[in-house]
């Protein structure tokens, strides 16, 4: 009985270690993508990082596309849509860290309407919106 209990504890510690290792790897990957592709922050207290400063030509109101994901697939999802966004010079924002994404996805800190929203894309006009929706849907269909 004691041997069995020790085996369970060791196995449980191994799972805990694997989870923490995976979490750290995912966080490093997310941080690297955000640093490279979304380096702008509107303020030091903002939870968001932007791909670029929104220009005066960018409309004050219009379309916004939410690309959904989880902390487990967020980096993979962002990598799959980055070519579309960067090639088109499309403005977008992402949570500044994977920890912040986990808070967003919990629904507790920012409300239930934020759950699943990983990337917010800001097309400049309706034509861009229609094109982007189709391309982003195709790029994320494997996730």
């Amino acid at each position: 009985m004691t041997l069995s209990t020790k085996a369970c504890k060791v196995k449980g510690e191994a799972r805990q270690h694997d989870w923490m290792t995976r979490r750290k790897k995912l966080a490093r990957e997310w941080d690297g993508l955000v640093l490279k592709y979304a380096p702008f922050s509107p303020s030091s207290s903002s939870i968001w990082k932007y791909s670029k400063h929104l220009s005066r030509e960018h409309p004050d109101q219009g379309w916004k596309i939410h690309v959904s994901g989880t902390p487990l697939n967020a980096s993979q999802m962002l990598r799959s849509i980055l070519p579309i966004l960067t090639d088109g010079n499309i403005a977008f924002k992402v949570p500044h860290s994977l920890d912040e994404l986990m808070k967003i996805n919990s629904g507790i800190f920012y409300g239930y309407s934020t759950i699943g929203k990983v990337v917010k894309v800001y097309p400049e006009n309706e034509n861009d919106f229609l094109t982007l929706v189709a391309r982003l849907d195709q790029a994320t269909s494997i996730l």
Side-chain angles (χ1 to χ4, degrees):
M1 186 70 129
T2 305
L3 191 59
S4 171
T5 304
K6 287 182 181 178
C8 288
K9 283 185 179 178
V10 170
K11 190 174 181 179
E13 288 171 10
R15 271 194 224 135
Q16 178 72 14
H17 175 71
D18 290 345
W19 180 86
M20 289 301 292
T21 301
R22 185 172 184 200
R23 182 182 178 283
K24 287 177 184 176
K25 180 182 176 225
L26 291 170
R28 277 193 310 272
E29 186 176 9
W30 181 259
D31 290 347
L33 289 168
V34 170
L35 182 65
K36 185 172 182 177
Y37 296 102
F40 302 105
S41 183
S43 71
S44 60
S45 62
S46 177
I47 67 166
W48 300 107
K49 297 288 273 187
Y50 290 79
S51 61
K52 62 182 187 174
H53 294 290
L54 296 181
S55 66
R56 293 182 193 266
E57 292 83 39
H58 204 277
D60 289 336
Q61 64 181 35
W63 297 99
K64 177 169 41 173
I65 302 168
H66 295 280
V67 184
S68 299
T70 71
L72 296 176
N73 72 1
S75 294
Q76 181 183 5
M77 182 272 298
L78 186 56
R79 276 194 317 277
S80 72
I81 66 171
L82 275 170
I84 297 165
L85 300 175
T86 56
D87 291 349
N89 197 28
I90 306 297
F92 65 92
K93 73 178 181 180
V94 295
H96 72 83
S97 69
L98 200 62
D99 284 340
E100 203 63 52
L101 175 58
M102 286 189 262
K103 288 168 65 176
I104 290 167
N105 273 354
S106 74
I108 296 169
F109 297 90
Y110 304 108
Y112 293 113
S113 64
T114 64
I115 294 174
K117 297 175 183 174
V118 178
V119 180
K120 296 180 185 200
V121 180
Y122 299 98
E124 290 192 16
N125 56 54
E126 189 170 351
N127 287 336
D128 285 352
F129 168 76
L130 294 171
T131 302
L132 280 169
V133 166
R135 292 185 70 201
L136 294 172
D137 181 54
Q138 183 179 10
T140 58
S141 65
I142 60 166
L143 300 176

